Amino acid sequence: MDKEVDFPVSDNNAVETKTDVVLVGAGIMSATLGAILRQLQPDWSISVFERLDAAAAESSDPWNNAGTGHSALCELNYTPENKDGSVDIAKAITVNEQFQVSRQFWAHALEQGILTAPKEFINPIPHVSFVHGADNVKYLKARYDALAGHTLFNGMEYTDSADEFARRLPLMAKGRDYSDPVALNWTEGGTDVDFGALTKQLLNHVASSGGTVHFGHEVTGIKKQSDGSWKLKVHNRRTGGRKVVNAKFVFVGAGGGALHLLQQSGIKEAKGFGGFPVSGAFLRCTNPELIDQHRAKVYGKAAVGAPPMSVPHLDTRVIGGKPGLLFGPYAGWSPKFLKEGRVTDLPGSVKPNNLLSMLGVGVSELGLVKYLVSELAKNAEGRIETMREFVPEAIGADWELITAGQRVQVIRRDKRKGGVLEFGTAVISAADGSIAGLLGASPGASTAVPAMLDVLKRCFGDRFASWEPQLKQMVPSLGVKLSDDKSLFTEVWDWSSRVLELDTDVQETASAAV
């Protein structure tokens, strides 16, 4: 089948559309999968349905997404301290490996004309870990010792010099009392990624190469058919019209809306899963002079009881070619699973098969509940006071509060506890490979390419081997751990840096904060 085929059906004069692939949601996950499939199977028809009126308007939006280009260079939650004082770097290596896969695909996509103008979606920005206090400084030195000699973290620096701190981070240095010792892990080769701009470029390619993208269309129902295909009910939110779509394969990349549709599908693989929504907010800088004094992504340590996605950071962003600065996140709570969702999302997600999972998390995550209550109690001055850990002379007049996207943390069934809360992403797929979906949050968008390759391997096992030669053109390190192959890492790093135009501004980036 090489195009959508419409024909009348008897259900209230609706129209049924047949297509090979349906992608639910117009975020980075669906856009990535659609772009890859257009290369692998250009004869397949692809239809994207997005309930909002624009691409990447939920979690992939640049102001709704942390935008780090998660590569574990600065995020301390990926390098926990062991009881003996050593640092576990296994998670950091995994996350960095995943981001390298995404970098390679983006570079390939630029060479093939799938993407254009890399500066619109990726820019070089130093990634920095920041701590204060003697115990934390000791931990950060141990983290540096564990990572600095590793292939994927080559070039990381450590400093506990107040003078060097002031030179590199002038905004954070003003008014700081250095009797409280500070330390930094600094990596020059970090990036800022505008996943909103990236999503739009990928979707433009899907549409221009024969796919169809429908905005203002919400998938309200999904049911398996006797022939193994899926029938989806789609509501046009603009006109009120309804239609039925028949698809051979469905990917649910609807962010917080994915759980409901996966539950409705009835696949056994989705049973037992639940979701815990965490909302958030950032303070965005409105003073250009302050923005000019900080050019780095600086991550600190999470508060006790805080989820990893709530690690505080003072974050340079490049959106539309202009630098910006935000601090946060400040966690909140809402029963909505989407920023533009419904208050019935959470109660509607509770089913007999996940009730024990949900109740188990309620008991085991009392620390998280306490943290959320404390965050909700903060007023404007309380938020500024929190930021003064990073910006000692911060004043409220220089910052505005913005609402971030919703994050729905995965609740997975656990035999001992009933349910456990997981802070990551999880791919769920049916045994027959006809449907898959993605749940979870951080590191999220940064791992879009490896996550979608996982979907392809799970759902198209009979085709994957024949696709591998082409996939290796897209991702030269496919099937290889770059951490075990320094020469290959150097090769793909240099290539992707050149194509993504990340190697031209490194020195400028380094000197901009001086």
Side-chain angles (χ1 to χ4, degrees), residues 2 28 83 92 190 208 261 289 327 362-363 384 454:
D2 58 5
I28 186 62
K83 291 182 179 180
S208 64
L261 288 174
E289 292 183 8
F327 176 81
V363 173
I384 292 294
D454 185 24

Side-chain angles (χ1 to χ4, degrees), residues 5 16 26 47 138 176 337 372 426 478 500:
V5 178
E16 180 163 330
S47 299
K138 183 179 178 181
R176 184 168 296 280
F337 277 10
L372 291 176
L478 186 69
L500 293 168

Side-chain angles (χ1 to χ4, degrees), residues 23 31 114 144 152 206 208 265 286-287 367 376 449 459 510:
L23 307 176
I114 297 168
Y144 168 77
L152 300 179
V206 171
S208 64
S265 74
T286 57
N287 186 337
L376 288 167
V449 177
C459 297

Side-chain angles (χ1 to χ4, degrees), residues 36-297:
I36 294 174
L37 283 174
R38 294 310 293 166
Q39 307 312 299
L40 298 174
Q41 295 291 157
D43 58 322
W44 285 5
S45 53
I46 298 177
S47 299
V48 183
F49 294 100
E50 166 58 51
R51 67 191 298 269
L52 301 180
D53 289 328
E58 270 281 352
S59 297
S60 301
D61 178 88
W63 290 116
N64 289 347
N65 186 296
T68 309
H70 279 280
S71 45
L73 297 172
C74 58
E75 304 93 335
L76 298 178
N77 52 299
Y78 297 140
T79 51
E81 184 175 14
N82 297 318
K83 291 182 179 180
D84 64 0
S86 63
V87 175
D88 185 351
I89 64 173
K91 180 66 173 178
I93 292 171
T94 297
V95 171
N96 194 295
E97 290 270 13
Q98 292 173 330
F99 185 66
Q100 301 305 326
V101 171
S102 292
R103 269 183 60 127
Q104 291 172 64
F105 174 73
W106 299 337
H108 166 82
L110 278 162
E111 289 186 330
Q112 298 300 311
I114 297 168
L115 295 174
T116 60
K119 292 296 184 189
E120 291 184 2
F121 67 86
I122 189 167
N123 287 275
I125 296 290
H127 283 200
V128 185
S129 303
F130 156 66
V131 298
H132 60 92
D135 289 343
N136 287 331
V137 168
K138 183 179 178 181
Y139 154 73
L140 199 68
K141 181 59 166 61
R143 178 183 187 268
Y144 168 77
D145 290 340
L147 288 174
H150 195 281
T151 297
L152 300 179
F153 297 89
N154 184 42
M156 179 179 285
E157 302 173 69
Y158 170 84
T159 180
D160 54 13
S161 163
D163 289 341
E164 192 65 16
F165 187 102
R167 185 182 76 82
R168 299 192 185 205
L169 299 171
L171 181 62
M172 293 179 62
K174 288 182 179 178
R176 184 168 296 280
D177 178 6
Y178 289 104
S179 65
D180 180 27
V182 296
L184 304 174
N185 281 169
W186 184 287
T187 304
E188 200 65 50
T191 54
D192 172 76
V193 184
D194 181 342
F195 286 103
L198 177 60
T199 298
K200 290 171 184 175
Q201 286 198 26
L202 291 170
L203 283 177
N204 283 341
H205 172 74
V206 171
S208 64
S209 60
T212 58
V213 182
H214 307 268
F215 294 111
H217 283 68
E218 182 174 9
V219 176
T220 59
I222 182 169
K223 185 176 181 181
K224 187 74 174 286
Q225 302 301 293
S226 59
D227 64 356
S229 65
W230 291 91
K231 182 172 285 189
L232 295 86
K233 293 182 179 179
V234 180
H235 173 219
N236 186 326
R237 289 160 57 91
R238 297 166 176 169
T239 67
R242 299 181 183 275
K243 67 177 179 178
V244 174
V245 179
N246 184 278
K248 296 176 182 177
F249 172 74
V250 177
F251 173 71
V252 185
L259 178 61
H260 172 69
L261 288 174
L262 288 170
Q263 288 176 330
Q264 194 178 115
S265 74
I267 60 172
K268 65 179 182 179
E269 292 80 6
K271 296 185 184 301
F273 279 92
F276 185 82
V278 178
S279 59
F282 286 97
L283 288 174
R284 180 167 58 190
C285 188
T286 57
N287 186 337
E289 292 183 8
L290 297 187
I291 296 172
D292 289 342
Q293 293 174 43
H294 186 88
R295 189 170 177 83
K297 292 180 178 294

